[in-house]
């Protein structure tokens, strides 16, 4: 039956529905235009006074500005964060800021940071306000409780020693390709290498995670577009996905990436079901899933019980896990590798020790693939990796959102709904735990060094976080860094062109040198000759 509009319900035309300016007094109870303007002004002033009063009440005795810029708060200064500004904030145990009336508390003491990280029933990771739009709210990094623990249990099998051995073979092959390109770059001058280091990490991550289930064309597309996700996940950003904004670009990049990763997950399932041997992270994961499925279907017939009984994951769920892994690897790992190369160039005596240890283990054999057994014999290389992570931590803070009131100490309870940010810089630069904390000293981790004993800095070592959401891939990070450092020391010489900004820090979701790390690589044999 056709629907018919009732004439009596039809809206008036646009032209006749709006009052003229002269009619305003009728609509406002006979007030004059001056009275209307005064009322509006009083309302605005009252709201601004209320905003400032709410800010001062929330801040209480915490360090922070006495007054805020109306509406936007400290948005403008947060758009271009600097280490100097962060360090001023970290000089106080607790400080407060406001951005678009979002109340933010920053905790800089080790004890407070650890309490936040271990309070999963009262606070949940939120990264930044736009994070759930970009990475999707169902992503495992935002989950808590039983469902999050189930994910972690299933993902732990991806970072066993056996799995790491598989990944290292893939990584070594990719390192060599990139090193060869860098050594034979015809550009005679030093050039910024920060993004080249990122490309190495992206290609390594995609091949370790997806193997050959993602084409080189699609891998390059993901690598190129993922930078938009990085830029959108800076601590302060315009939080809405309007066309042209960083968040909008990031959501588009995520859609493409998730499609390719979902296709890779489906292809891995098909290949592993057909009997393929695992050669990437997806395969290792699917192998465990298939083993659990076979046990469930055959346990009544005496099927052998695997170590883990995993549930089946959809292609989309697996893609979102890989999305989170790529975010960590291309941001945090790119920062680590950048500072590792810069520090080794700036401290030639440390690079010489790395080479001496590598050559003592490998001899003149630079062509055989790297292995875990070889890396196990390189404690100094491991110490260099660890010192890079401490000296220039790739993650200096992780925003949380309080889901309940959280008593942080006897003097302060963080209100529900607060963005609560534990920072790690002070913990990793505490002179009582790390003597000469601003100096790059790998020897502190060696026998006889100030930090040889893990017990000394057990509370302060927050590089990988703590609690239910601590980094699941710690062993992978250490292996990746040590393998890159050792292999590079054998194959290449490199120099760093220091500029006034080399030792200044730029914050783009993580830390980088402000000048982009200007490097020049040459083959070692050619240099020796």
């Amino acid at each position: 039956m056709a629907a018919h509009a009732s004439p009596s319900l039809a809206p008036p035309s646009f032209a006749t529905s709006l009052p003229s300016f002269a009619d305003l007094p009728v609509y406002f109870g006979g007030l004059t235009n001056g009275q209307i303007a005064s009322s509006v002004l009083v309302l605005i002033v009252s709201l601004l006074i209320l905003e400032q009063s709410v800010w001062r009440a929330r801040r209480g005795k915490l360090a922070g500005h006495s007054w805020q810029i109306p509406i936007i708060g400290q948005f403008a200064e947060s758009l271009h964060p600097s280490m100097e500004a962060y360090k001023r904030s970290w000089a106080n145990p607790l400080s407060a800021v406001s951005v678009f009336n979002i109340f933010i508390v920053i905790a800089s003491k080790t004890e407070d940071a650890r309490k936040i990280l271990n309070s999963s029933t009262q606070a949940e990771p939120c990264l930044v306000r736009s994070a759930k739009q970009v990475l999707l709210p169902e992503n495992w990094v935002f989950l808590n409780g039983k469902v999050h623990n189930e994910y972690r249990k299933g993902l732990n099998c991806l970072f066993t020693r056996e799995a790491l051995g598989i990944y290292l073979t893939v990584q070594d092959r990719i390192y060599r390709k990139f090193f060869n390109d860098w050594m034979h770059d015809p550009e005679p001058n030093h050039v910024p290498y920060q993004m080249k280091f990122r490309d190495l990490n992206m290609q390594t991550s995609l091949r370790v995670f997806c193997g050959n289930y993602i084409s080189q064309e699609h891998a390059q597309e993901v690598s190129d577009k993922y930078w938009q996700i990085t830029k959108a996940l800076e601590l302060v950003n315009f939080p809405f996905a309007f066309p042209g904004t960083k968040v909008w670009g990031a959501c588009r990049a995520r859609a493409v990436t998730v499609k390719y990763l979902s296709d890779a997950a489906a292809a891995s399932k098909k290949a592993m079901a057909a009997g393929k041997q695992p050669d990437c992270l997806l395969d290792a994961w699917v192998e465990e899933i298939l083993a659990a499925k076979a046990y469930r279907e055959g346990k009544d017939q005496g099927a052998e019980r695997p170590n883990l009984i995993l549930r089946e994951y959809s292609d989309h769920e697996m893609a979102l896990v890989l999305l989170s892994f790529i975010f960590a690897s291309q941001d945090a790992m790119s920062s680590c590798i950048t500072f590792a190369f810069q520090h080794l160039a700036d401290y030639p005596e440390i690079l010489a020790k790395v080479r001496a240890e590598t050559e003592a283990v490998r001899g003149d054999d630079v062509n055989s693939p790297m292995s875990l057994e070889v890396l196990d014999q390189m404690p100094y290389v491991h110490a260099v990796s660890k010192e890079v992570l401490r000296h220039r931590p790739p993650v200096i803070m992780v925003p949380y959102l309080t889901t309940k009131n959280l008593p942080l100490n006897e003097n302060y309870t963080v209100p529900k709904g607060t963005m609560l940010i534990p920072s790690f810089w002070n913990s990793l630069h505490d002179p009582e735990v790390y003597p000469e904390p601003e100096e790059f000293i790998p020897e502190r981790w060696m026998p006889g060094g100030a930090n040889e004993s893990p017990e000394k800095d057990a509370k302060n070592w927050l590089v990988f976080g703590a609690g239910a959401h601590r980094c699941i891939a710690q062993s992978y990070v250490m292996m990746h860094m040590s393998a890159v450092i050792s292999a590079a020391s054998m194959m290449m010489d490199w120099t760093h062109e220091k500029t006034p900004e080399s030792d200044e820090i730029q914050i783009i979701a993580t830390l980088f040198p402000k000048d982009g790390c200007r490097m020049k690589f040459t083959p070692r044999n050619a240099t020796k000759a």
Side-chain angles (χ1 to χ4, degrees):
M1 180 182 295
H4 297 276
S6 170
S8 62
L9 297 179
S13 69
F14 183 78
T16 59
S17 63
L18 295 178
S20 67
F21 188 76
D23 293 330
L24 284 178
V26 175
Y27 283 84
F28 286 90
L31 296 177
T32 66
N33 291 340
Q35 290 172 322
I36 294 172
S38 298
S39 299
V40 171
L41 180 61
V42 169
L43 177 62
I44 292 173
V45 171
S46 299
L47 290 175
L48 292 177
I49 292 173
L50 176 62
E51 179 187 47
Q52 299 299 323
S53 300
V54 169
W55 157 249
R56 289 174 67 85
R58 281 179 166 181
R59 183 177 69 86
K61 296 182 179 180
L62 300 183
H65 294 333
S66 298
W67 306 97
Q68 288 290 330
I69 297 174
I71 303 175
I72 67 172
Q74 291 170 248
F75 174 72
E77 62 189 85
S78 300
L79 276 176
H80 303 287
S82 68
M83 281 299 294
E84 292 73 20
Y86 277 132
K87 287 180 178 180
R88 287 194 296 272
S89 173
W90 298 333
N92 302 287
L94 293 172
S95 58
V97 298
S98 177
V99 177
F100 286 115
N101 287 307
I102 299 170
F103 184 58
I104 303 169
V105 173
I106 301 172
S108 62
K109 288 177 60 178
T110 300
E111 295 78 7
D112 293 341
R114 278 202 167 272
K115 182 160 188 178
I116 296 164
L117 296 172
N118 284 291
S119 298
S120 59
T121 61
Q122 296 164 290
E124 61 183 20
C126 65
L127 299 182
V128 295
R129 283 286 175 173
S130 60
K132 288 187 178 181
Q133 294 181 73
V134 176
L135 300 178
L136 296 181
E138 66 268 27
N139 198 307
W140 82 289
V141 298
F142 301 119
L143 304 179
N144 271 310
K146 183 179 178 180
V147 64
H148 179 81
N149 292 336
E150 182 183 70
Y151 262 99
R152 286 192 73 91
K153 181 180 72 173
L155 298 177
N156 278 329
C157 68
L158 306 181
F159 300 101
T160 62
R161 186 173 176 85
E162 180 182 0
L164 293 176
I166 294 173
Y167 308 155
L168 186 53
T169 301
V170 178
Q171 291 169 271
D172 187 74
R173 184 173 66 248
I174 295 172
Y175 301 157
R176 292 172 183 275
K177 176 187 179 301
F178 274 86
F179 292 168
N180 188 64
D181 290 344
W182 299 348
M183 288 187 291
H184 296 94
D185 184 349
E187 171 58 53
N189 300 313
H190 292 75
V191 296
Y193 258 78
Q194 175 185 315
M195 296 305 289
K196 294 177 185 288
F197 295 143
R198 177 187 173 274
D199 289 342
L200 178 148
N201 274 301
M202 281 296 293
Q203 291 299 322
T204 301
S205 297
L206 288 169
R207 290 302 166 208
V208 164
F209 300 159
C210 301
N212 291 320
Y213 299 125
I214 183 169
S215 69
Q216 184 55 42
E217 178 186 356
H218 289 167
Q220 190 60 54
E221 184 178 359
V222 169
S223 180
D224 293 341
K225 290 184 175 180
Y226 211 96
W227 188 244
Q228 297 177 48
I229 295 177
T230 297
K231 291 189 293 184
L233 294 180
E234 293 172 328
L235 184 59
V236 176
N237 244 322
F238 187 72
F240 305 109
F242 296 154
T245 63
K246 290 181 181 179
V247 175
W248 178 77
C251 290
R252 289 165 61 89
R254 179 255 300 147
V256 171
T257 302
V258 169
K259 178 186 183 304
Y260 294 152
L261 297 178
S262 296
D263 291 345
S268 175
K269 290 175 181 177
K270 182 177 180 181
M272 292 300 292
K276 176 178 178 285
Q277 290 298 307
D279 61 9
C280 65
L281 183 146
L282 271 176
D283 285 349
W285 193 0
V286 172
E287 184 178 45
E288 294 291 342
I289 292 171
L290 292 177
K293 180 181 179 182
Y295 170 72
R296 284 192 294 267
E297 293 175 350
K299 61 181 178 181
D300 293 338
Q301 289 75 43
E304 183 178 354
R305 191 183 194 281
N307 293 329
L308 286 172
I309 305 297
L310 302 187
R311 70 171 176 85
E312 294 191 49
Y313 292 85
S314 69
D315 299 341
H316 181 72
E317 288 175 319
M318 298 178 84
L320 292 189
V321 169
L322 297 186
L323 184 75
S324 71
F325 285 177
I326 294 171
F327 173 65
S329 63
Q330 72 97 29
D331 276 337
M333 286 303 306
S334 296
S335 170
C336 296
I337 297 299
T338 299
F339 281 112
F341 276 107
Q342 176 166 312
H343 284 341
L344 288 172
D346 292 345
Y347 297 86
E349 69 282 4
I350 294 176
L351 177 55
K353 291 181 181 180
V354 167
R355 281 186 173 140
E357 183 175 74
T358 300
E359 289 171 353
V361 173
R362 302 192 69 173
D364 294 328
D365 183 8
V366 299
N367 295 317
S368 62
M370 184 69 75
S371 69
L372 291 177
E373 291 71 26
V374 168
L375 284 179
D376 287 344
Q377 301 175 62
M378 299 182 184
Y380 190 75
V381 171
H382 183 82
V384 170
S385 299
K386 196 167 184 180
E387 182 67 351
V388 171
L389 291 168
R390 184 206 65 81
H391 189 248
R392 290 291 181 264
V395 179
I396 56 174
M397 61 184 74
V398 178
Y400 277 69
L401 183 67
T402 52
T403 55
K404 300 177 182 177
N405 289 347
L406 197 168
L408 204 52
N409 54 51
E410 60 183 15
N411 298 316
Y412 184 68
T413 295
V414 184
K416 176 183 176 181
T418 300
M419 181 178 282
L420 180 58
I421 305 179
S423 59
F424 310 140
W425 182 272
N426 285 4
S427 300
L428 295 164
H429 291 77
D430 183 346
E432 294 185 7
V433 178
Y434 305 105
E436 299 181 86
E438 298 304 323
E439 298 299 319
F440 183 71
I441 309 174
E443 286 75 12
R444 73 173 77 245
W445 307 103
M446 297 295 288
N451 300 100
E452 173 191 4
S453 173
E455 288 75 23
K456 179 170 182 180
D457 72 329
K459 290 184 178 180
N460 287 64
W461 184 251
L462 291 172
V463 169
F464 298 108
H469 291 272
R470 67 191 178 278
C471 177
I472 197 172
Q474 299 177 39
S475 53
Y476 176 83
V477 171
M478 295 303 298
M479 176 189 73
H480 181 33
M481 285 192 65
S482 297
V484 168
I485 290 169
S486 178
S489 74
M490 286 282 285
M491 296 177 62
M492 300 185 293
D493 279 315
W494 62 93
T495 54
H496 174 221
E497 181 182 76
K498 295 203 73 168
T499 74
E501 293 187 324
S502 293
D503 293 326
E504 294 188 28
I505 293 174
Q506 179 183 20
I507 302 173
I508 312 174
T510 183
L511 308 184
F512 292 102
K514 268 192 177 179
D515 64 359
C517 192
R518 300 180 64 83
M519 310 290 286
K520 176 63 180 174
F521 292 86
T522 54
R524 273 199 78 200
N525 290 338
T527 303
K528 286 180 177 181

